[in-house]
Amino acid sequence: LPSMRAQASTLAIYSCSRQFLFSFFFAAIGSTFGYQNFGFHTGVANAVSAAVLMLNAPLYSLTAEHFTATYGSFATATALFFLYALLLRRRFLRYLDTELSLDLDPSRRPSACPSPSPGPG
């Protein structure tokens, strides 16, 4: 970018967007999959991210042959993002369905007031 003001503003926007991305990502992983396996799921997600980034150069050269390189990389990244978003949404809806079905089952609900114990005699 030729303007120093534009560079500073894009740096600020990029920094804020990364902060939101990671905070929402880790919160979604925890609420979707639970915190018992939090490390496993974040490790798998980071490993998949690293694998996709390692494939970035070959995918870039492959798409540069058929498309304008910028549009090809953007299309690849967008397709992977939507695939990941759909998988997370499906898992989250399954989680909500399980939680709501537990809440509707009266035998699974904790009672607000314990039943009185029988008195003596």
Side-chain angles (χ1 to χ4, degrees), residues 1-2 11 20 22 26 28 33 36 50 53 63-64 77 84 88 94 97 108 110 112 114:
L1 295 171
L11 174 68
F20 284 119
F22 285 113
F26 288 117
F33 300 109
Q36 290 176 329
L53 288 175
T63 56
Y84 181 68
L88 272 183
R94 244 191 266 150
D97 186 38
R108 304 279 299 195

Side-chain angles (χ1 to χ4, degrees), residues 117-121:
S117 58

Side-chain angles (χ1 to χ4, degrees), residues 19-100:
Q19 180 65 33
F20 284 119
L21 171 75
F22 285 113
S23 62
F24 288 132
F25 169 74
F26 288 117
I29 291 290
S31 67
T32 303
F33 300 109
Y35 291 99
Q36 290 176 329
N37 298 319
F38 181 77
F40 173 76
H41 289 292
T42 55
V44 168
N46 286 326
V48 169
S49 173
V52 169
L53 288 175
M54 287 178 64
L55 292 174
N56 192 27
L59 288 174
Y60 183 81
S61 63
L62 179 68
T63 56
E65 295 172 6
H66 302 289
F67 303 105
T68 305
T70 304
Y71 295 123
S73 297
F74 179 73
T76 304
T78 304
L80 290 173
F81 170 75
F82 281 113
L83 176 65
Y84 181 68
L86 287 173
L87 290 173
L88 272 183
R89 181 178 181 273
R90 190 173 106 193
R91 179 72 176 185
F92 184 66
L93 290 176
R94 244 191 266 150
Y95 169 78
L96 284 180
D97 186 38
T98 303
E99 288 297 313
L100 290 177

